[in-house]
Amino acid sequence: IKGEIISPDTIKNLGSVGCPVVLWYPDDPRYTSSYVKHILPFYDNIFVVSKKSVKQYKEMGAKKVHYLPVGCDPSIHRRINSDIEKDISSERDICFIGTYSSHRANTIKSLDKFQIGIWGAFWWFGRGIKGKNPPTYGPEMVKIYNSTKIALNIHDQTDYGIKTNMRLFEAAGSGAFVLSDGEKGLSDLFEPNKEIVCF
């Protein structure tokens, strides 16, 4: 997964002993030009989460590239019916679970009249934003999605219009009402304004 910490020499050595070497790269198109292009030729198969990356990676020397979007795990990301299981302390009008970016912070600031809970890394950079909490994952994240009225999805600016993110699947799989930024790329996997509502 990602492969940033594996040197091209290690990838070549694995391939030279007959071991199939596979990369699942969920961060395309980020780092494509700076890093990924240097390791692409050494993998037997590459899986990407953006359809747009398939052609691009082949042109950059990848042997075989396949589209494999992200998803969720129904045994974890599910609707919780019992109030005992839900995280009542996280009840909010709106929740956002994800890493800080100035783009995301600006969107959240525009919603300051609502009760918002934020869970994610680096939100100390978000000056004047209330409701910040440490990152959350797995079952704890699912409890939050089950205890909020609206799960907000704001793509990273480098992803917008290129691919869907895991948050969409995790929140929707948890039965949350998902409000997402824009329909680009969503209609291949969701029915906009029925399964996911867009702004």
Side-chain angles (χ1 to χ4, degrees):
I1 297 175
K2 297 190 180 186
E4 284 100 338
I5 61 170
I6 303 173
S7 73
D9 286 339
T10 300
I11 301 164
K12 282 190 277 187
N13 288 337
L14 287 169
S16 69
V17 296
C19 177
V21 188
V22 178
L23 172 67
W24 183 48
Y25 199 74
D27 285 344
D28 52 297
R30 275 178 272 167
Y31 317 119
T32 297
S33 298
S34 62
Y35 177 75
V36 178
K37 70 178 182 182
H38 302 293
I39 61 173
L40 291 177
F42 306 114
Y43 284 97
D44 297 308
N45 285 279
I46 297 170
F47 294 88
V48 294
V49 299
S50 167
K51 281 185 178 178
K52 293 180 179 182
S53 296
V54 173
K55 182 181 176 186
Q56 181 185 14
Y57 283 16
K58 284 180 179 177
E59 290 171 351
M60 295 171 87
K63 297 170 190 168
K64 293 181 183 176
V65 187
H66 315 274
Y67 170 59
L68 180 66
V70 292
C72 67
D73 183 344
S75 69
I76 297 171
H77 307 101
R78 60 188 175 83
R79 192 78 188 136
I80 296 173
N81 296 317
S82 167
D83 285 341
I84 297 169
E85 287 186 89
K86 293 178 184 178
D87 185 358
I88 304 303
S89 67
S90 68
E91 284 187 345
R92 302 281 194 284
D93 292 330
I94 301 169
C95 78
F96 176 76
I97 300 176
T99 303
Y100 169 87
S101 75
S102 59
H103 167 67
R104 289 172 172 166
N106 288 336
T107 301
I108 288 171
K109 282 178 187 175
S110 71
L111 301 169
D112 61 356
K113 64 182 178 181
F114 297 97
Q115 187 183 21
I116 300 180
I118 301 163
W119 286 261
F122 308 114
W123 277 96
W124 59 79
F125 288 119
R127 293 183 182 157
I129 294 177
K130 297 175 184 174
K132 297 179 274 192
N133 299 280
T136 185
Y137 308 97
E140 293 305 312
M141 175 181 65
V142 172
K143 289 178 184 179
I144 293 166
Y145 281 140
N146 273 267
S147 305
T148 191
K149 293 177 184 174
I150 298 171
L152 187 61
N153 180 51
I154 310 168
H155 283 84
D156 185 279
Q157 281 182 299
T158 59
D159 295 343
Y160 185 72
I162 295 170
K163 65 180 182 186
T164 53
N165 56 27
M166 281 189 6
R167 186 179 309 104
L168 278 169
F169 293 90
E170 292 167 340
S174 300
F177 176 90
V178 182
L179 183 61
S180 183
D181 55 350
E183 297 181 18
K184 289 183 178 178
L186 297 184
S187 58
D188 291 342
L189 302 162
F190 294 97
E191 191 172 338
N193 298 318
K194 184 175 180 182
E195 296 175 313
I196 303 285
V197 176
C198 301
F199 68 91

